[in-house]
Amino acid sequence: MTNTLLVLTGTQVWRLNDGTEHPTGFWAEEFVAPHRVFTEAGHTITIATPGGVTPVADELSLAPAMNNNDEAAIAELRAYLDKSQEALAAAVPLADIDPAQYDVVFVPGGHGPMEDLATDLDVARILEAVLDAPGKILASVCHGPASFVTATRNGEWLFAGRNLTAFLDEEERQAGFADRAPWLLESRLAQQGAAFSAGPVWQPHLVTDGNLITGQNPASAEPAAQAVLEQLAETR
């Protein structure tokens, strides 16, 4: 049995540098696609958030413009979220998580992680325990790697020199938030010393570095989950 931890943002607002609070949460596709992949693979899934609050989907992630105006795809996302409400409501506090109990830690994005996971010390503790641990996999997509920025080991940033990807500055510009964002994720990760890899904007792009799997954007969520399954198969 594979035990998988999904770490979701618990915030519903992202505080921008102009003082406004932008409504946010987790990005629907980035939760739905991995959750479905892992469920179909028979994983036991635990959802955790800061403080154990019930996470919510960012309504922007369900807007037609963010889903190629595909109403059927949006309806499918909403239906999956509806049937997942009990699991989301059962989210456990990150402070209660023992990373030794999990084979996979997966951090989806949405702008929410920029607000809370980026400074959460329990996330940092979990990431430090999992990265490079034999038999474990750490994966994250889009803004999920905002959770990486405060994680350290022996006083050094945990992801210095690691090959990874995340939501691009250019994608943030095209989404309309770059000028108001307190910081940009690609720039922050690169400045802290990551070996950042950028693929074409809005296209699936994965980077694997040991047991670290990262995806660039929402389109990378399902491929990232599949890459987790492939790595698990190789190590078992």
Side-chain angles (χ1 to χ4, degrees), residues 10 48 54 63-64 70 84 86 88 113 121 133 136 176 197 235:
T54 299
D70 188 338
S84 300
E86 184 175 345
L88 291 167
L121 297 181
K136 298 186 183 296
S197 171
T235 57

Side-chain angles (χ1 to χ4, degrees), residues 29 106 141-142 203-206 214-225:
E29 182 180 1
F106 194 105
V141 294
C142 201
Q203 298 303 307
H205 178 58
L206 296 183
T214 49
Q216 180 174 304
N217 46 35
S220 308
E222 184 166 349

Side-chain angles (χ1 to χ4, degrees), residues 46-221:
T46 299
I47 297 171
T49 63
V53 301
T54 299
V56 300
D58 187 334
E59 278 298 316
L60 185 61
S61 68
L62 296 162
M66 295 296 175
N67 293 277
N68 297 314
N69 294 307
D70 188 338
E71 294 295 343
I74 295 169
E76 183 178 344
L77 288 172
R78 287 196 181 277
Y80 197 96
L81 291 170
D82 287 344
K83 75 176 185 178
S84 300
Q85 285 308 303
E86 184 175 345
L88 291 167
V92 301
L94 284 166
D96 293 348
I97 293 297
D98 176 4
Q101 297 180 357
Y102 297 94
D103 306 291
V104 176
V105 174
F106 194 105
V107 189
H111 283 116
M114 302 281 283
E115 181 71 22
D116 61 356
L117 298 186
T119 57
D120 191 284
L121 297 181
D122 285 302
V123 170
R125 171 181 60 85
I126 293 164
L127 300 184
E128 191 276 335
V130 171
L131 186 65
D132 299 327
K136 298 186 183 296
I137 298 173
L138 172 59
S140 187
V141 294
C142 201
H143 289 88
S147 63
F148 295 178
V149 301
T150 56
T152 61
R153 179 184 286 148
N154 300 323
E156 300 291 334
W157 186 47
L158 190 61
F159 298 91
R162 300 306 292 256
N163 299 298
L164 54 77
T165 191
F167 202 62
L168 303 185
D169 292 357
E170 178 58 29
E171 289 171 324
E172 201 73 86
R173 291 187 190 94
Q174 293 185 19
F177 292 102
D179 291 341
R180 293 181 292 156
W183 47 279
L184 297 175
L185 185 54
E186 176 188 357
S187 291
R188 173 67 69 86
L189 295 172
Q191 287 165 3
Q192 290 190 210
F196 195 95
S197 171
V201 295
W202 307 115
Q203 298 303 307
H205 178 58
L206 296 183
V207 175
T208 298
D209 183 345
N211 74 334
L212 174 64
I213 297 169
T214 49
Q216 180 174 304
N217 46 35
S220 308

Side-chain angles (χ1 to χ4, degrees), residues 16-32:
L16 302 176
N17 60 14
D18 60 4
T20 60
E21 293 187 346
H22 175 69
T24 191
F26 63 83
W27 203 257
E29 182 180 1
E30 295 172 34
F31 163 75
V32 169

